[in-house]
């Protein structure tokens, strides 16, 4: 039961991440935003998340406080900052609020992982698979909302006749997300910490607590594999709608949104499948399977894509997207099992911070080159899974790293 509560709480809490994407058309009209201004809202969340995870990971706060209380407080702060967004009145106040939301997410996503590890001893791979699967669904949700034709929510008014929703409905979308985050915080507050976490929540000796984990060889190897994985994953997800529309320019916006949602959301059952496999094969083997599949996807795409029909291309991207994320929870399971209990929160939080920074660099460097590189952009993603496989090659045997 705790695994289910934590997984659902993670889904509800991380619903705050991309809420403006579902109402971005309304924000454009209300505040007179230019298209180029929209990136600031998403970028502010990512930057806030990076600052928050660095702060929690280096200060040791993730292990000096009760994880359930920190999670609940983060949900409260995130819910408030998100609920206040309709009252921002313009771009820059909204950017400030989204920065606060990003900071709060640093206390939701990685702290949720710490809670899951504590409540699922011996089943960290399975528990984290459910948790990351919920995050994947949250990541894909804006595409679903756009595909369902929530009028005013997208960049383009499909009907040509103005908004079909009554004025103010877009605010309700944000407030519902905030309510979900509050429910997540209350549920985790009531659940509390696992007994093992409560006993381990003692001050860590280092001021840069999370860095202490990098002295552990198996943690460095698991984290290194995760960093390679993050070079590929979010860039692939960013490229998916661009690759689809590049292959089939006649796709309607609704069809593009629904296909993009499906191709990203397939990662959720992929994570759950990886969690089930980890109970039989171990987290290390599942991670190797995912990285190898990702590498094959990167390698073959430039050769196959020009010759595939559109349906076959969609199937190929679905398989690639699933394999690119099936291993994601297993890296955290391997990292957690390599750490002493008193360092798990700080170590996982810092690992997240570095991983998301790497994904931001990959997106920033590669996506603008898509028009020039075309299908060969996949080869620039290939170093990520290859480096991940290299890191896992020297990781201790599964019996040593699985709890």
């Amino acid at each position: 039961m705790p695994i289910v509560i934590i997984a659902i709480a993670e889904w509800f809490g991380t619903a705050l991440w991309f809420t403006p994407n579902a109402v971005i058309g309304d924000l454009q009209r209300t505040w007179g935003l230019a298209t180029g201004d929209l990136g600031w809202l998403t970028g502010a969340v990512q930057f806030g998340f990076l600052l928050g995870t660095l702060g929690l990971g280096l200060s040791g706060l993730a292990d000096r406080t009760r994880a359930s209380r920190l999670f609940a407080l983060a949900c409260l702060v995130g819910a408030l900052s998100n609920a206040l967004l309709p009252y921002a009145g313009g771009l820059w106040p909204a950017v400030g609020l989204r920065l606060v939301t990003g900071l709060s997410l640093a206390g939701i996503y990685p702290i949720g992982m710490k809670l899951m590890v504590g409540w699922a001893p011996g089943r960290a791979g399975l528990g984290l698979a459910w948790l990351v699967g919920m995050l994947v669904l949250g990541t894909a949700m804006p595409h679903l909302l756009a595909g369902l034709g929530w009028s005013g929510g997208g960049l383009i008014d499909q009907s040509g006749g103005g908004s079909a929703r009554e004025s103010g409905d877009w605010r309700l979308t944000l407030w519902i997300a905030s309510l979900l985050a509050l429910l997540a915080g209350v549920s985790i507050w009531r659940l509390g910490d696992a007994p093992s976490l409560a006993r381990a929540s003692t001050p860590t000796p280092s001021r840069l607590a999370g860095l202490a984990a990098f002295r552990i060889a198996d943690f460095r190897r698991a984290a290194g594999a995760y960093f390679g994985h993050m070079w590929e994953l979010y860039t692939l997800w960013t490229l998916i709608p661009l690759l689809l529309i590049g292959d089939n320019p006649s796709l309607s916006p609704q069809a593009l949104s629904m296909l993009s949602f499906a191709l990203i959301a397939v990662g959720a059952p992929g994570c759950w499948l990886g969690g089930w496999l980890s109970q039989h094969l171990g987290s290390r083997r599942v991670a190797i399977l995912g990285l190898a599949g990702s590498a094959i996807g990167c390698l073959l795409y430039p050769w196959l894509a020009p010759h595939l029909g559109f349906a076959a291309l969609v199937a190929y991207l679905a398989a690639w997207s699933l394999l690119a994320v099936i291993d994601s929870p297993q890296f955290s399971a391997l990292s957690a099992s390599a750490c002493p209990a008193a360092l798990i929160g700080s170590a996982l939080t810092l690992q997240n911070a570095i991983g998301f920074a790497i994904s931001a660099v990959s997106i920033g460097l590669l996506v603008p080159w898509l028009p020039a590189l075309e299908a060969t952009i996949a080869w620039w993603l290939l170093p990520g899974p290859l480096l991940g496989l290299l890191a896992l090659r020297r990781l201790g045997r599964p019996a040593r790293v699985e709890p």
Side-chain angles (χ1 to χ4, degrees), residues 46-328:
Q46 299 299 91
F47 186 63
F49 181 80
L50 176 60
L51 288 180
T53 48
L54 283 175
L56 289 174
L58 295 177
S59 68
L61 187 62
D63 292 302
R64 289 203 297 266
T65 60
R66 291 173 63 91
S68 57
R69 302 294 172 87
L70 184 56
F71 186 101
L73 177 62
C75 286
L76 174 62
V77 173
L80 289 174
S81 63
N82 187 70
L84 289 173
L85 193 61
Y87 304 104
L91 176 64
W92 296 114
V95 166
L97 287 172
R98 295 307 288 166
L99 180 68
V100 174
T101 303
L103 288 167
S104 72
L105 285 165
I108 296 174
Y109 177 36
I111 301 303
M113 289 196 294
K114 178 182 178 181
L115 284 163
M116 187 65 81
V117 169
W119 278 106
R123 296 184 297 163
L126 178 62
L128 290 172
W130 277 99
L131 185 142
V132 176
M134 294 298 189
L135 176 68
V136 172
L137 287 179
T139 301
M141 193 59 68
H143 294 292
L144 175 63
L145 296 176
L148 291 174
W150 285 33
S151 56
L155 292 173
I156 300 172
D157 185 355
Q158 304 298 335
S159 67
S163 176
R165 290 186 297 167
E166 296 181 2
S167 176
D169 282 1
W170 66 275
R171 296 173 176 85
L172 185 60
T173 300
L174 299 177
W175 294 336
I176 289 174
S178 291
L179 178 60
L180 291 175
L182 288 176
L183 291 174
V186 170
S187 65
I188 294 299
W189 180 282
R190 295 189 62 183
L191 176 66
D193 287 39
S196 59
L197 284 183
R199 290 193 298 269
S201 295
T202 55
T204 52
S206 172
R207 292 183 179 179
L208 301 179
L211 291 178
F214 283 90
R215 300 188 187 122
I216 303 169
D218 274 357
F219 178 85
R220 289 197 306 271
R221 292 161 185 160
Y226 171 74
F227 298 153
H229 154 83
M230 288 296 283
W231 174 264
E232 176 204 20
L233 179 62
Y234 278 86
T235 304
L236 172 61
W237 283 350
T238 302
L239 288 170
I240 277 176
L242 303 177
L243 296 175
L244 290 173
I245 201 68
D247 189 79
N248 188 354
S250 64
L251 275 179
S252 69
Q254 294 96 333
L256 176 62
S257 294
M258 293 303 290
L259 279 174
S260 298
F261 166 76
L263 292 178
I264 296 172
V266 71
C271 287
W272 302 332
L273 172 63
W276 177 79
L277 288 173
S278 73
Q279 301 303 292
H280 302 275
L281 303 177
S283 291
R284 178 177 177 271
R285 289 178 179 172
V286 174
I288 290 173
L289 172 66
L291 288 169
S294 292
I296 292 170
C298 295
L299 181 64
L300 296 183
Y301 183 81
W303 288 324
L304 296 180
H307 308 290
L308 294 174
F310 185 69
L313 177 70
V314 170
Y316 185 96
L317 289 174
W320 184 8
S321 179
L322 185 150
L323 289 168
V325 77
I326 192 174
D327 49 3
S328 192

